[in-house]
Amino acid sequence: MYNKINSDDISVLRSIVGDSEVLVGDSISEDYSHDELGDVKKMPDVLVRVHTTEEVSAVMKHAWARSIPVTVRGSGTGLVGAAVPIEGGILLETTKMNKILSLDKNNLSVTVQPGVLLMELAAFAEENDFLYPPDPGEKSATIGGNISTNAGGMRAVKYGVTRDYVRALTVVMPNGDILNLGATVAKNSSGYSLKDLIIGSEGTLAIICEAVLKLLPLPKVSVSLLVPFPDMKTAIEAVPKIIRSKIIPTAIEYMSRDTILFSESYLGKKFPDTKNDAYILLTFDGNSDAQVAADMNTVAELCLEIGAKDAYIVDTDERKKAVWSARGAFLEAIKASTTEMDECDVVVPVDKVDAFIKYTHELADELKIRIPSFGHAGDGNLHVYICRDELSESDWRSTLKLCFDRMYEKAESLGGLVSGEHGIGYAKKEFLKKQLGDAQILLMQGIKKVFDEKNILNPGKICF
Amino acid sequence: MYNKINSDDISVLRSIVGDSEVLVGDSISEDYSHDELGDVKKMPDVLVRVHTTEEVSAVMKHAWARSIPVTVRGSGTGLVGAAVPIEGGILLETTKMNKILSLDKNNLSVTVQPGVLLMELAAFAEENDFLYPPDPGEKSATIGGNISTNAGGMRAVKYGVTRDYVRALTVVMPNGDILNLGATVAKNSSGYSLKDLIIGSEGTLAIICEAVLKLLPLPKVSVSLLVPFPDMKTAIEAVPKIIRSKIIPTAIEYMSRDTILFSESYLGKKFPDTKNDAYILLTFDGNSDAQVAADMNTVAELCLEIGAKDAYIVDTDERKKAVWSARGAFLEAIKASTTEMDECDVVVPVDKVDAFIKYTHELADELKIRIPSFGHAGDGNLHVYICRDELSESDWRSTLKLCFDRMYEKAESLGGLVSGEHGIGYAKKEFLKKQLGDAQILLMQGIKKVFDEKNILNPGKICF
């Protein structure tokens, strides 16, 4: 079905991107065989580092003609194996396409290459007094990866997700064609939204080579509030009440004492408060000090009425750093607390978060494993980690399978979905199939065939 | 290719929806042969009024088995012939699926049937202290129609378009399958976004039978500002300057004296000011009187510096009514000013609106026709009307063709797109093809085939 890479292919690839950007065999680091978490592993036959849209197009024209599979990789921070070249072939790395190409102040937009890191874009926007609102936890992910998973992040409560900020994309099709989708405009009713199909398609339909992203004026004020609760149930139950109060915080995160302690130990840094079982961390932003303070006070008082133990304003630089660096380290900290882990990032309606977390606790008791979690209480997207700890390989496999089956069933029964922002990739395919059913999977397979008749682009992901 | 409707089909349809909801022959009003503007005309063979998703499914199962074309129609307020049954067959009217099914205050969302009118949804949201942000000018359009065109409206500057507010859809496929796409959640990275493909697909891929829409808390303050300018150029040039000032108004509309005078004459009501050549109308909203007033003052001062003649705060009920009822009547008023007209709703980058309007004036002079326009200066979406006035049929056809060709070319050269919110339907197909090129049209055709192998659902629209 696919052709193996031969020495002629290597010559052609070298002629396209330059000798030093084509690596084969032992010269490819083992890192390229997997992503940040998944135990999905496979080495590519060749690693190709691209610099321009034209190079991507030339590589794809060759791969298409020769039926060689191609998998695109950004920073490799994914968690579901989407960037693992499970059929071998070419691994096409976009990290050198890392230029911020232009800032359009009249249209509040920025044009970037896909290898720009989220943290670079965020800093660039802020330096220019703008905000790029999507704020996923993994700041060293590439923008191409963020678009490919429709990443959400912490500010989705107020600002929405990556999809809401993509105005236009330049993509290279599996056959090498270069297409421009969308435009630097705020409205579009010009045929099927191919751009919205590419967003969240995890590198299976086309290769993102340029993106025009919407920016907002940088809010003048942004303050966080850390609210400790006696237990997780009370903490999480506060969230729909906050939302019903008609105040929209920028972010509402939840965290348990356990997770905070892992993070203290991992970072070697103290968190402002670890006396309580559960915490919510809120951010408020706006252009008026008075309005932001009033919103924050209303929410603080509401939380205290509900049973919060306190409400700390996170306003000093020191406290901001302590709180947000801890929040940023949760995944790594949990990882460091165990021998191996896997994760589930279901999304459920906001008023079902409590029920889902409660269920993970019951499951942990029943299966005798640890299932720490943290996440986006304000938008229903949870990051739940199943820890192997001392389990044998076979017990770990069977427990993990059972645990996943039960959690995804529970999420579905609560009106939720398999993934809020990490995607499906390779690792979550069976759960997606189970939830969506044959008709939707057949539609996705049909769409994939329309874009990629030869199935050379990131084969074996999402719906195949 | 298609089967003609026979008496057995009629019996089956009557058994599904009830005798009184199936109309044939002369009992179908001529209104059903066209939409609000287009001269695209065709009578359906049978008009079927549906009440439930199950009825829609049963109708489609029958139509699929018998290869009968089906076109869906809401209020018929479209402007590009998308709801005209150009192949005859069944016209499926959704206006009786007009229930607001539930309000979910914990998840800030409302579930509606497709036949709910925009004005009904807007009023329902407001009664419950919520805002449904999309605000297209045509308030008697159905929500199903709004979703099918990804309608934008006036508040897109601040709040985005219909797509941004659709959380989930229940759709009936051409073969009668019922699918649930998306969920009542804020994030989704669970496979290709079929929901986003349906949005803006103008009834060609599946039939929208239920929608979960996101709401926002109703802003406590909302005030408009009417700013007269000596000429259109100065008025429109103010808009990118306002946007660069980092204040985001809810809406920025532009209008010329001509258009206002048509509206005065059409409504028989006075507009607050008609002394000046050009006007922009801005709205500001928020939760703090002081903040909204400050934003408004900043913009008013900026406009006066640029050359505005005045800045009227539209705060009394009387003035609000005078201004907004005029704005709402522009389309009808222009229509009443001529014998026949056609329209173009291109969208261009905000800082190119001026260049586009100037071009329509040059074109009007060159072709010796009237081309009044108004629209959404703040998001680049223009509504441009080509008036027939006293032209003969053949002169009208040739002038219209030339005028459209030139305008769409100009929009493309400015980085714009064929349609901001009215869609492609039947009338704008050739312009879409010209702009997007073969590769994108082939992708769209391929997607259409995946959803509707027999091509029975709204055939002949968008890309075929």
Side-chain angles (χ1 to χ4, degrees):
Chain A
M1 171 178 161
Y2 297 119
N3 284 312
K4 288 298 285 178
I5 300 263
N6 61 31
S7 58
D8 288 347
D9 295 319
I10 301 296
S11 301
V12 171
L13 293 170
R14 289 197 162 134
S15 74
I16 295 169
V17 297
D19 288 359
S20 62
E21 305 293 22
V22 177
L23 280 71
V24 290
D26 289 348
S27 60
I28 305 175
S29 159
E30 185 272 344
D31 281 352
Y32 286 99
S33 70
H34 61 84
D35 65 10
E36 191 64 30
L37 190 73
D39 52 4
V40 184
K41 280 188 187 175
K42 172 81 184 178
M43 285 296 282
D45 297 311
V46 55
L47 173 66
V48 177
R49 295 190 175 123
V50 287
H51 310 82
T52 64
T53 305
E54 290 65 33
E55 285 182 7
V56 175
S57 171
V59 169
M60 292 313 299
K61 280 191 172 131
H62 181 74
W64 182 259
R66 285 266 299 130
S67 294
I68 295 168
V70 178
T71 300
V72 180
R73 179 186 166 105
S75 304
T77 60
L79 295 167
V80 293
V84 178
I86 59 166
E87 298 283 351
I90 297 171
L91 187 65
L92 190 134
E93 189 185 348
T94 60
T95 55
K96 293 198 171 182
M97 291 179 75
N98 61 354
K99 289 188 194 64
I100 294 175
L101 299 170
S102 63
L103 173 67
D104 181 346
K105 294 187 179 185
N106 288 338
N107 291 290
L108 302 189
S109 63
V110 60
T111 303
V112 299
Q113 288 188 313
V116 171
L117 303 186
L118 176 60
M119 63 176 124
E120 294 167 345
L121 175 60
F124 175 83
E126 211 169 312
E127 281 157 22
N128 287 280
D129 208 23
F130 287 106
L131 175 72
Y132 175 66
D135 188 31
E138 178 56 83
K139 311 301 179 199
S140 59
T142 63
I143 287 300
N146 274 198
I147 296 170
S148 296
T149 55
N150 187 26
M154 320 215 193
R155 299 193 195 115
V157 186
K158 179 167 179 178
Y159 291 115
V161 297
T162 302
R163 181 183 303 283
D164 303 313
Y165 293 87
V166 181
R167 292 283 196 225
L169 293 175
T170 300
V171 301
V172 169
M173 292 289 291
N175 68 2
D177 280 357
I178 300 171
L179 301 184
N180 296 305
L181 309 176
T184 309
V185 294
K187 290 176 170 173
N188 184 356
S189 185
S190 307
Y192 305 154
S193 187
L194 302 177
K195 178 196 76 171
D196 279 287
L197 253 187
I198 302 293
I199 298 167
S201 69
E202 303 183 56
T204 62
L205 299 180
I207 301 173
I208 297 165
C209 289
E210 211 173 290
V212 180
L213 303 169
K214 173 185 166 185
L215 299 173
L216 293 180
L218 187 67
K220 295 186 182 116
V221 194
S222 178
V223 188
S224 297
L225 188 71
L226 179 68
V227 188
F229 284 88
D231 55 73
M232 190 55 84
K233 186 173 163 57
T234 316
I236 295 295
E237 280 178 359
V239 177
K241 289 175 188 162
I242 293 167
I243 288 171
R244 284 179 79 114
S245 81
K246 308 250 169 132
I247 287 167
I248 305 273
T250 313
I252 313 179
E253 299 287 298
Y254 80 92
M255 49 201 76
S256 65
R257 177 163 53 187
D258 282 2
T259 305
I260 292 170
L261 294 178
F262 292 142
S263 154
E264 281 194 337
S265 139
Y266 179 75
L267 291 174
K269 280 183 191 157
K270 283 285 169 199
F271 197 76
D273 178 318
T274 52
K275 294 190 300 290
N276 295 283
D277 258 17
Y279 297 79
I280 61 175
L281 174 61
L282 303 105
T283 304
F284 301 84
D285 69 12
N287 287 324
S288 140
D289 280 313
Q291 184 64 45
V292 170
D295 284 355
M296 196 167 58
N297 284 337
T298 304
V299 170
E301 276 167 28
L302 181 64
C303 288
L304 291 168
E305 270 170 37
I306 292 166
K309 293 299 200 180
D310 208 329
Y312 306 102
I313 299 176
V314 182
D315 50 0
T316 65
D317 280 351
E318 193 191 345
R319 194 173 265 185
K320 272 184 194 168
K321 207 175 164 193
V323 167
W324 285 105
S325 63
R327 170 62 187 87
F330 285 165
L331 195 162
E332 291 299 322
I334 294 173
K335 204 170 168 184
S337 80
T338 185
T339 52
E340 189 176 346
M341 68 178 194
D342 210 333
E343 66 103 43
C344 136
D345 90 311
V346 292
V347 58
V348 296
V350 172
D351 55 355
K352 298 294 189 297
V353 171
D354 175 45
F356 192 83
I357 296 176
K358 191 166 158 247
Y359 185 74
T360 63
H361 294 167
E362 290 167 10
L363 211 50
D365 289 345
E366 183 190 330
L367 302 177
K368 299 186 180 25
I369 45 169
R370 285 192 306 124
I371 312 182
S373 72
F374 63 89
H376 313 298
D379 59 43
N381 181 207
L382 310 181
H383 299 327
V384 179
Y385 297 88
I386 302 121
C387 296
R388 177 171 170 178
D389 295 342
E390 304 309 322
L391 286 180
S392 71
E393 176 70 21
S394 68
D395 284 356
W396 165 237
R397 290 289 146 205
S398 59
T399 307
L400 189 62
K401 164 106 183 58
L402 184 60
C403 194
F404 272 149
D405 282 343
R406 299 271 295 275
M407 288 200 297
Y408 288 114
E409 268 168 31
K410 184 69 182 180
E412 185 177 347
S413 77
L414 295 171
L417 296 169
V418 175
S419 171
E421 58 181 353
H422 293 168
I424 301 304
Y426 182 81
K428 310 297 182 192
K429 286 196 295 182
E430 64 170 303
F431 307 110
L432 185 75
K433 282 182 186 165
K434 205 165 166 190
Q435 169 154 27
L436 296 188
D438 290 345
Q440 288 191 50
I441 294 293
L442 282 170
L443 287 176
M444 291 184 191
Q445 290 175 347
I447 290 166
K448 167 69 175 163
K449 281 181 201 149
V450 169
F451 278 75
D452 183 13
E453 193 191 323
K454 293 188 173 182
N455 195 28
I456 62 162
L457 189 60
N458 205 5
K461 309 294 167 64
I462 300 185
C463 57
F464 270 109
Chain B
M1 170 179 162
Y2 297 119
N3 284 312
K4 286 299 286 181
I5 299 263
N6 61 31
S7 58
D8 287 346
D9 295 319
I10 301 296
S11 301
V12 171
L13 294 170
R14 289 196 162 133
S15 74
I16 296 168
V17 297
D19 288 359
S20 62
E21 304 294 22
V22 177
L23 279 71
V24 291
D26 289 348
S27 59
I28 306 174
S29 159
E30 185 270 344
D31 282 351
Y32 286 99
S33 70
H34 61 85
D35 65 10
E36 191 65 29
L37 190 73
D39 52 4
V40 185
K41 280 188 186 175
K42 173 80 184 181
M43 285 296 282
D45 295 312
V46 54
L47 173 67
V48 178
R49 294 189 175 122
V50 286
H51 309 83
T52 65
T53 304
E54 291 66 33
E55 284 181 7
V56 175
S57 171
V59 169
M60 291 314 296
K61 280 190 172 132
H62 181 75
W64 183 259
R66 285 267 298 131
S67 294
I68 294 167
V70 178
T71 300
V72 181
R73 179 185 166 105
S75 304
T77 59
L79 296 167
V80 292
V84 178
I86 59 164
E87 297 283 351
I90 297 170
L91 188 65
L92 191 134
E93 189 185 349
T94 60
T95 55
K96 293 197 170 182
M97 291 179 75
N98 60 354
K99 289 187 194 62
I100 294 175
L101 298 170
S102 63
L103 174 66
D104 181 346
K105 294 186 179 183
N106 288 338
N107 291 290
L108 304 188
S109 63
V110 61
T111 304
V112 299
Q113 290 188 312
V116 170
L117 304 185
L118 175 61
M119 64 177 124
E120 293 167 345
L121 175 60
F124 175 83
E126 210 168 313
E127 280 157 22
N128 286 280
D129 208 23
F130 287 105
L131 175 72
Y132 175 66
D135 188 31
E138 177 56 84
K139 311 301 179 199
S140 59
T142 64
I143 287 300
N146 274 198
I147 296 169
S148 296
T149 54
N150 186 26
M154 319 214 193
R155 298 193 196 115
V157 186
K158 178 167 180 177
Y159 290 115
V161 297
T162 302
R163 181 183 303 282
D164 303 313
Y165 294 87
V166 180
R167 292 282 197 223
L169 294 175
T170 300
V171 302
V172 169
M173 292 289 292
N175 68 2
D177 280 358
I178 300 171
L179 301 184
N180 296 304
L181 310 176
T184 309
V185 295
K187 289 176 171 173
N188 186 356
S189 184
S190 307
Y192 305 153
S193 188
L194 302 177
K195 178 196 77 173
D196 280 287
L197 254 187
I198 303 293
I199 298 167
S201 69
E202 303 183 56
T204 62
L205 298 180
I207 301 172
I208 297 165
C209 288
E210 213 171 289
V212 181
L213 303 169
K214 174 184 166 185
L215 299 173
L216 293 179
L218 187 66
K220 294 187 181 115
V221 194
S222 178
V223 187
S224 298
L225 188 72
L226 180 68
V227 187
F229 283 87
D231 55 73
M232 190 55 83
K233 187 174 164 56
T234 317
I236 295 295
E237 280 178 357
V239 176
K241 290 175 187 162
I242 293 167
I243 288 170
R244 283 178 81 114
S245 81
K246 308 250 170 133
I247 287 167
I248 304 274
T250 315
I252 313 178
E253 299 287 298
Y254 80 91
M255 50 200 75
S256 65
R257 176 163 53 188
D258 281 1
T259 305
I260 292 169
L261 294 178
F262 293 142
S263 155
E264 280 194 337
S265 138
Y266 178 75
L267 292 173
K269 280 182 193 159
K270 284 283 169 202
F271 197 76
D273 179 316
T274 52
K275 293 190 300 291
N276 295 283
D277 257 17
Y279 296 79
I280 62 174
L281 175 61
L282 303 106
T283 304
F284 300 84
D285 69 11
N287 286 324
S288 141
D289 280 312
Q291 184 65 45
V292 170
D295 286 354
M296 197 166 58
N297 283 337
T298 305
V299 170
E301 276 166 30
L302 182 64
C303 288
L304 291 167
E305 271 170 36
I306 292 166
K309 292 299 201 181
D310 208 329
Y312 307 102
I313 300 176
V314 181
D315 50 359
T316 65
D317 281 351
E318 194 191 342
R319 196 173 263 185
K320 274 183 193 169
K321 209 175 160 190
V323 168
W324 286 104
S325 64
R327 170 62 186 86
F330 284 166
L331 195 161
E332 290 300 321
I334 294 173
K335 204 170 168 183
S337 81
T338 184
T339 51
E340 190 176 346
M341 67 179 194
D342 209 332
E343 66 103 42
C344 137
D345 90 311
V346 291
V347 58
V348 296
V350 172
D351 55 356
K352 299 294 189 298
V353 171
D354 174 46
F356 191 84
I357 296 176
K358 190 166 158 246
Y359 185 74
T360 64
H361 293 168
E362 289 166 11
L363 210 50
D365 288 346
E366 181 189 333
L367 302 177
K368 300 187 178 26
I369 46 169
R370 285 193 306 125
I371 312 182
S373 73
F374 61 90
H376 313 298
D379 58 42
N381 181 209
L382 310 181
H383 299 325
V384 179
Y385 298 87
I386 302 119
C387 295
R388 177 172 172 178
D389 295 343
E390 304 309 322
L391 288 179
S392 71
E393 177 69 20
S394 68
D395 285 353
W396 166 236
R397 290 288 145 206
S398 58
T399 307
L400 189 61
K401 165 104 182 56
L402 184 60
C403 194
F404 272 150
D405 283 342
R406 299 273 294 274
M407 289 200 295
Y408 287 114
E409 267 167 31
K410 184 70 182 178
E412 186 177 346
S413 76
L414 295 171
L417 296 169
V418 175
S419 171
E421 58 180 354
H422 293 168
I424 301 303
Y426 183 81
K428 310 296 181 192
K429 286 197 295 182
E430 64 170 302
F431 306 111
L432 186 74
K433 283 181 186 165
K434 204 165 167 191
Q435 170 154 27
L436 297 189
D438 289 345
Q440 288 192 51
I441 293 294
L442 281 170
L443 286 176
M444 292 184 190
Q445 290 175 346
I447 290 166
K448 168 68 175 164
K449 280 181 200 149
V450 169
F451 278 74
D452 183 13
E453 192 192 322
K454 293 188 172 180
N455 196 25
I456 64 163
L457 189 60
N458 206 5
K461 308 293 168 66
I462 299 184
C463 56
F464 271 109

